[in-house]
């Protein structure tokens, strides 16, 4: 090729190199620079004359690695290619002319050139300026480091939810806040909802949907997340919603702040504002709030409530003689006894000094019964507070004076009810202390009567004043087939009380259990006596059982023991239950009934049609008979609407293969209707009145057996 042509081509190549958007430096096999294009000279900061023939060594060149540290000479791109003979790609380097000069960052690629014999003859190094990119990367690293330090020093736990990709990120603090190691649980978008308190899920789910569908960019909401040890951590979640141009939510990023300490502080402030610091009981402020709610609940439910104003007798004397420290000790012990005496649903407060207030709810719907229930609570309080107190080893006795005011929520306001209870308490003090008085004189009289009756009831049980009566039961053909036991109370003054006069009080006072056991014992002894009698030995004896008895844990054991001890035949004992007994703890009741049925005992359902009975009940319970309530029998021959009811009950009993007993038969017309309708057993004044057990045995015995 002519020299002029070669020179021309070289000039064109040099011109092409000068217009490339990258710096190009060509080195010979020894590493000396043969040529550099214009951009290479600009990026390096030296002229072509300065570069040509120079060696790239550690003395005249200062190169930095990507981390900013000095790069060893052997790791310079040209030297690495010379040594290995292999191409080098995408190496990030920094170059600085002097210590004070800024660093220029380059992305380098270097590759070898070989001659015809395969020997290395040149190394070409190409590089582009990435200073701006490196600066952006460094800024990003600094920003991330600042954020990391901020989050590390903060108690907040960051998280990020990419709605488009359905991916979520939980920070390390998010995990440790809940007691977990990062990634210890399955990290998916539903984890935070699975850990949420059940009571918060509906509210937060609705809030989340509203947030995503709305146009808000920020949010702030509280919820609770389950900690690894089982308790729930209250958190405040705040963050930002990223949306597209149409307002559609793309991403939600936020932080969770642990509110445990704040909630504890709020609770402490609440306690200081609403609780007595000495006893820990609610103070007047909280009492007024809770009493207002109690009045509203009373009005809705139709049940009475009661406010008991309690004041310690002679408390001032203790303070004056022993000092306030002893007075405070007594108040704390009184508060503790009151806590253990009242129900969980009742309110208890200390107004100040030695004054305490109790609010009783869900008493009876009738004032007389409500007074009786309140009287029971008063007696429990008196019993608890009458026990000796030990104040630093010293024995001390204290008694309370109490005033009681009933409320029904309809006509009473808070101030009035508190004043009434307070006035009643002062009346109790004026009438001798260590007592209780109801605000209304009529209620007071009722309470005293009930209390006296209950005391007499207890004494009557101890003295065995209760006597058993029997009313015969006949078949439709007039044959004696059974009897029902009825209890009467012959008081010490000779008065004979029917069950309606004392059974309700026995149930409310808990005395129904010993009374019921007394009746069962006497009845089983009678059955044992009747075994040898040709007439009485064939009879089935019905004994009424109360709900309290059936629901007591040892009911089946008591019945079985009574049968065994008395020697009574189990198949002659029929336990009569009312429909209300079957209304709760169904599975437990069925199990107890079946246990006794397996021993031969029968069960019948008394007063059928007046309570909770349904076909489902009759099918599930192991009953042998239904007893038609006297209210239906009474009008069956007069009221055309009563007859179909009785007919339906008889038909139902037949369908279920149950015996049917009609009680309250007082007229021949009633008997005729029932017999014609298919009723198998009749009971009532027409056929035989209730008589004492001994007389029943005398009248109907075929052998003349004795009586207990």
């Amino acid at each position: 090729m002519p020299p002029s042509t070669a020179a021309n081509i070289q000039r064109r190549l040099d011109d092409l190199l000068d217009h490339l958007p990258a710096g190009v430096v060509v080195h010979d096999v020894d590493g000396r620079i043969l040529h550099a294009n214009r951009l290479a000279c600009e990026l390096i900061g030296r002229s072509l004359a300065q570069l040509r023939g120079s060696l790239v060594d550690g003395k005249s060149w200062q190169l930095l690695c990507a981390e900013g540290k000095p790069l060893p000479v052997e790791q310079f791109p040209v030297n690495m290619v010379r040594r290995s003979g292999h191409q080098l790609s995408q190496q990030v380097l920094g170059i600085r002319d002097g210590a004070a000069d800024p660093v220029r960052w380059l992305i380098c690629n270097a590759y070898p050139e070989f001659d015809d014999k395969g020997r290395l003859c040149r190394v070409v190094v190409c590089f582009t300026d990435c200073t701006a990119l490196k600066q952006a990367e460094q800024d990003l690293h600094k920003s991330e480091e600042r954020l990391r330090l901020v989050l590390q020093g903060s108690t907040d736990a960051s998280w990020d939810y990419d709605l488009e990709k359905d991916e979520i990120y939980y920070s390390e603090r998010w995990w440790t806040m809940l007691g977990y190691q990062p990634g210890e649980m399955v990290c998916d978008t539903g984890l935070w909802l699975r850990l949420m308190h059940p009571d918060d899920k509906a509210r937060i789910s609705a809030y989340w949907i509203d947030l995503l569908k709305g146009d808000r960019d920020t949010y702030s909401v509280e919820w609770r997340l389950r900690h690894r040890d089982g308790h729930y951590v209250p958190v405040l979640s705040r963050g930002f919603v990223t949306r597209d141009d149409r307002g559609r939510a793309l991403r939600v990023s936020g932080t969770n702040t642990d509110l445990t300490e704040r909630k504890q502080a709020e609770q402490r402030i609440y306690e200081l504002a609403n609780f007595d610091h000495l006893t820990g009981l609610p103070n007047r402020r909280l009492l007024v709030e809770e009493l207002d709610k109690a009045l509203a609940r009373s009005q809705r439910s139709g049940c009475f409530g009661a406010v008991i104003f309690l004041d310690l007798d002679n408390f001032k004397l203790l303070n004056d003689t022993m000092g306030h420290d002893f007075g405070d000790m007594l108040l704390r012990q009184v508060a503790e006894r009151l806590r253990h005496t009242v129900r969980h649903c009742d309110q208890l407060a200390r107004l100040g000094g030695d004054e305490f207030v109790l609010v009783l709810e869900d008493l009876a719907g009738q004032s007389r019964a409500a007074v009786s229930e309140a009287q029971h609570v008063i007696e429990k309080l008196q019993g608890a507070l009458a026990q000796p107190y030990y104040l630093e080893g010293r024995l001390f006795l204290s008694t309370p004076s109490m005033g009681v005011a009933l409320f029904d929520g309809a006509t009473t306001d808070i101030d009035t009810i508190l004043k009434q209870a307070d006035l009643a308490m002062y009346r109790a003090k004026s009438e001798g202390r260590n007592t209780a008085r109801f605000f209304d004189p009529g209620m007071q009289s009722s309470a005293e009567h009930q209390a006296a009756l209950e005391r007499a009831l207890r004494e009557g049980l101890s003295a065995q004043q209760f006597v058993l009566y029997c009313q015969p039961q006949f078949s439709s053909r007039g044959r004696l087939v059974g009897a029902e036991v009825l209890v009467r109370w012959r008081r010490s003054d000779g008065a004979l009380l029917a069950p309606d006069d004392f059974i309700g009080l026995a149930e409310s006072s808990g005395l129904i259990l010993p009374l019921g056991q007394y009746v069962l014992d006497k009845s089983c002894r009678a059955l044992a006596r009747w075994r040898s009698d040709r007439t009485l030995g064939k009879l089935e004896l019905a004994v009424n059982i109360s709900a309290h008895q059936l629901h007591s844990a040892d009911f089946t054991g008591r019945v079985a023991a009574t049968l065994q001890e008395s020697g009574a035949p189990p198949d002659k004992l029929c336990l009569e239950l009312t429909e209300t007994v079957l209304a709760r703890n169904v599975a437990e009741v069925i199990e107890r009934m079946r246990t006794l049925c397996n021993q031969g005992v029968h069960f019948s359902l008394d007063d059928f049609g007046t309570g909770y009975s349904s076909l489902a009940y009759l099918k599930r319970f192991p009953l042998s008979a239904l007893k038609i309530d006297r209210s239906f029998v009474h009008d069956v021959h007069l009221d055309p609407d009563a007859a179909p009811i009785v007919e339906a009950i008889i038909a139902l009993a037949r369908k279920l293969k149950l015996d049917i007993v009609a009680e309250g038969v007082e007229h021949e017309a009633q008997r005729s209707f029932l017999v014609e309708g298919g009723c198998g057993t009749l009971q009532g004044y027409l056929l035989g009145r209730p008589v004492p057990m001994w007389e029943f045995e005398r009248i109907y015995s075929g052998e003349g057996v004795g009586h207990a």
Side-chain angles (χ1 to χ4, degrees), residues 535-590:
T535 301
L536 299 179
K538 299 176 182 179
L539 303 185
E540 183 176 79
L541 190 60
V543 179
N544 289 279
I545 297 296
S546 73
H548 293 78
Q549 288 176 274
L550 186 61
H551 291 297
S552 63
D554 59 348
F555 173 70
T556 54
R558 281 182 175 272
V559 174
T562 302
L563 287 168
Q564 184 176 7
E565 291 171 5
S566 65
D571 62 326
K572 297 303 179 183
L573 177 64
C574 180
L575 301 181
E576 287 195 356
L577 311 174
T578 60
E579 299 182 37
T580 54
V581 173
L582 311 180
R584 65 184 181 93
N585 298 336
V586 174
E588 187 178 277
V589 169
I590 292 175

Side-chain angles (χ1 to χ4, degrees), residues 436-450:
R437 290 291 180 265
F438 283 82
F439 172 74
D440 185 87
M443 292 181 182
Q444 178 63 38
S445 176
S446 174
E448 291 174 352
H449 173 73
Q450 292 292 320

